[in-house]
Amino acid sequence: MKWWDDLWLNESFADCMAYICSSSCIENGTIDKNYKSPWSMFFLDKLWCYPQDERPTTHSVKAEVTNTEMAKLAFDGITYTKGAASLIQLYRLIGAETFSKGIDRYFQKYKWKNATFDNFIEMFKRYVKDENPDSAKNLDNWKKDWLETAGLSQIQAEWDPTNESSTAYLKIYQTSCLEEFPCNRFIKVQVALFDENGKVTEIKDAIINKSTTTIDYDGSKKPKAVFPNFGDQGYVKVKLDDDSKSFFSKNIQKIDDELTRAGIWWSLSRGVTDGEVNPLVFIESAIAGLQFEKENSLMKLIEYITEISANYLTNELRLNMSHRLFGVLIDLLLKT
């Protein structure tokens, strides 16, 4: 970088490539498949960033830095993690091969030199020639939406679980979390539908538009719930629809994938803070779900329980829940 306003790229690129390379090593067998999923670890990193991006003090990833004192303020979750998530979005949007070509050309041209973000993005424009202003792959728009616009957006599915047509469809609505920070953007995600046993019936690759996105699915498979950020591919807050919220609260233990459960737990917990999920219902589900989690996921679920108990329960209920939580944790420790 030539100046501190590109500090985000220095930090975010390192995180981005660490997760992408670790994931590739697991896929090609260089690292044992039993190794902790790098995407699960990245999800935990994003939990550091999301609250910062949802506050009135949020800021864009790339910001003007006029002096070195201002540069010190740039070291936060938005600089590191949202910046990395934005680059990973670019990676998913244009594909691994094109992303690798752009990175290789960038390194070859600017090795042993200082470079700027504009130099960085110009290397990708050689391979992604989409000038349509309404396209998700227009890199000028991507730069503006992801790096120069502050704020967190949220998505929610609208669908009819009683529609058993093989040509059913659902809609994904995107809105900004804060009215004062409108930030709807194109987001590459996977939308998953789950049956009554918690098994995935379909996974739909989708680019979420800036307002409403329509996605077809097979209703004859009788899905009971929708999660519109399967695999945590998008940097976005998920608001669960009422049917999915009810299903996941009662059946999350049926879902095999740890990363999927982590995303759902987070969405349910944020539903409590948004006044859309009963805190007692969440805590009951979470305490019952502790036995199915491990390591960082277990610790994060305990954190959700204690945070929500402290902030949303009466003293009497909080004491009761504390005793129950203690008992469950003791049982889990004795079983290890």
Side-chain angles (χ1 to χ4, degrees), residues 232-244:
D232 192 45
Q233 291 204 357
Y235 175 86
V236 66
K237 179 178 178 179
V238 173
K239 292 172 68 69
L240 295 169
D241 64 273
D242 289 341
D243 292 291
S244 300

Side-chain angles (χ1 to χ4, degrees), residues 252-289:
I252 191 170
Q253 72 277 4
K254 295 180 180 178
I255 296 171
D256 295 329
D257 182 62
E258 178 188 7
L259 180 55
T260 301
R261 291 198 309 273
I264 294 170
W265 281 126
W266 180 67
S267 295
L268 289 170
S269 71
R270 294 314 89 187
V272 174
T273 62
D274 291 341
E276 297 175 354
V277 173
N278 186 315
L280 285 174
V281 171
F282 174 81
I283 291 173
E284 290 287 352
S285 297
I287 288 178

Side-chain angles (χ1 to χ4, degrees), residues 4 63-75:
W4 295 105
E64 183 179 359
V65 179
T66 57
N67 56 59
T68 53
E69 287 301 312
M70 285 187 64
K72 295 178 182 178
L73 302 177
F75 288 92

Side-chain angles (χ1 to χ4, degrees), residues 106-207:
Y106 175 72
F107 284 147
Q108 291 299 323
K109 183 171 182 177
Y110 293 105
K111 61 183 177 182
W112 313 118
K113 299 176 185 177
N114 280 332
T116 67
F117 176 70
D118 287 337
N119 299 143
F120 180 81
I121 206 70
E122 283 300 321
M123 297 301 100
F124 292 98
K125 286 184 176 180
R126 293 174 175 270
Y127 305 103
V128 184
K129 302 180 184 295
D130 194 334
E131 298 181 0
N132 181 351
D134 298 320
S135 170
K137 294 184 180 181
N138 181 305
L139 295 184
D140 288 327
N141 283 349
W142 175 85
K143 173 185 172 182
K144 179 178 180 294
D145 290 345
W146 281 97
L147 306 177
E148 298 174 351
T149 302
L152 177 66
S153 63
Q154 55 194 3
I155 55 175
Q156 184 174 30
E158 181 183 272
W159 66 302
D160 180 5
T162 65
N163 186 345
E164 297 184 2
S165 167
S166 60
T167 57
Y169 68 90
L170 59 84
K171 291 184 177 181
I172 304 290
Y173 294 97
Q174 181 179 182
T175 56
S176 301
C177 291
L178 297 174
E179 290 184 4
E180 60 267 42
F181 289 98
C183 59
N184 288 10
R185 47 179 69 99
F186 290 107
I187 308 173
K188 178 74 166 62
V189 298
Q190 288 186 323
V191 179
L193 296 100
F194 298 83
D195 66 16
E196 62 184 2
N197 297 312
K199 305 302 181 186
V200 175
T201 61
E202 277 187 278
I203 298 175
K204 310 291 290 190
D205 287 303
I207 295 177

